[in-house]
Amino acid sequence: MLSRVPRAVRPLTSSLRPIARPTISILRPQVRYASQADIEDPDMIDFLQNGGYHNPPPIKRQHRDPYADWWDKQERRNFNEPVHEDNDILGVFSTEDYSHFTPAWGAVLFSTFVGSVLVLLGVVYQFYPDKPSAPRTFPGGLERELGGPNTVIARKDEDET
């Protein structure tokens, strides 16, 4: 946007002089600084975007004291208390904020579970029998009962291996 401050009129000779510009441009990372208004009042950005509505701090309602004397005991809210603009996310009926375990303790519990399952599989592998102790035999190998002379027959009484 053009500035509304009037500029001084320069003589024509100063505008016709060549401007010395560097021929090599140095690439620098873009650095942004906070403006003085942001430093003085950090809520000013939200204040201007919400039409003058001041948001309360974003605290989930599940972390409030459930035994306190609330006007609305289900939502843990008092009468005329300002509502945050993200009330649908911060309310009691939103998804629960999972804070029971830290990620490191969750990894310990998960690795303990996987290790115990692997130990159980190793014990079962060591003691589970590969085949029955006395294989079952049939007289004549059930050749006729299984479909005739060209079928795979069951073990005969004479086959002792």
Side-chain angles (χ1 to χ4, degrees), residues 98-119:
Y98 189 79
S99 59
H100 299 293
F101 299 123
T102 62
W105 183 245
V108 168
L109 292 175
F110 183 72
S111 60
T112 303
F113 168 73
V114 169
S116 62
V117 167
L118 291 177
V119 166

Side-chain angles (χ1 to χ4, degrees), residues 14-158:
S14 66
S15 63
L16 294 177
R17 271 188 272 151
I19 300 172
R21 294 185 182 172
T23 57
I24 301 172
S25 64
I26 300 171
L27 297 176
R28 295 181 187 154
Q30 183 179 9
V31 179
R32 295 185 181 194
Y33 297 99
S35 66
Q36 189 65 26
D38 293 342
I39 294 171
E40 290 174 0
D41 189 10
D43 295 330
M44 185 58 75
I45 296 171
D46 289 335
F47 178 74
L48 294 175
Q49 291 179 355
N50 288 337
Y53 184 77
H54 288 282
N55 273 331
I59 299 172
K60 285 186 73 78
R61 298 259 170 82
Q62 81 177 48
H63 297 300
R64 289 183 171 185
D65 183 21
Y67 303 110
D69 189 25
W70 301 106
W71 180 75
D72 182 4
K73 295 192 185 305
Q74 190 171 11
E75 271 290 325
R76 297 178 190 164
R77 186 173 172 268
N78 286 324
F79 186 73
N80 279 340
E81 180 181 354
V83 179
H84 195 275
E85 67 178 338
D86 293 329
N87 186 46
D88 54 342
I89 299 171
L90 299 173
V92 172
F93 296 111
S94 64
T95 56
E96 185 174 342
D97 188 18
Y98 189 79
S99 59
H100 299 293
F101 299 123
T102 62
W105 183 245
V108 168
L109 292 175
F110 183 72
S111 60
T112 303
F113 168 73
V114 169
S116 62
V117 167
L118 291 177
V119 166
L120 177 67
L121 288 175
V123 167
V124 168
Y125 180 76
Q126 289 295 323
F127 293 107
Y128 191 74
D130 288 339
K131 61 179 185 176
S133 58
R136 190 170 178 186
T137 60
F138 299 94
L142 299 176
E143 180 178 351
R144 185 175 55 87
E145 288 83 0
L146 290 176
N150 293 329
T151 61
V152 178
I153 58 172
R155 184 176 300 211
K156 295 183 182 181
D157 286 332
E158 298 87 33

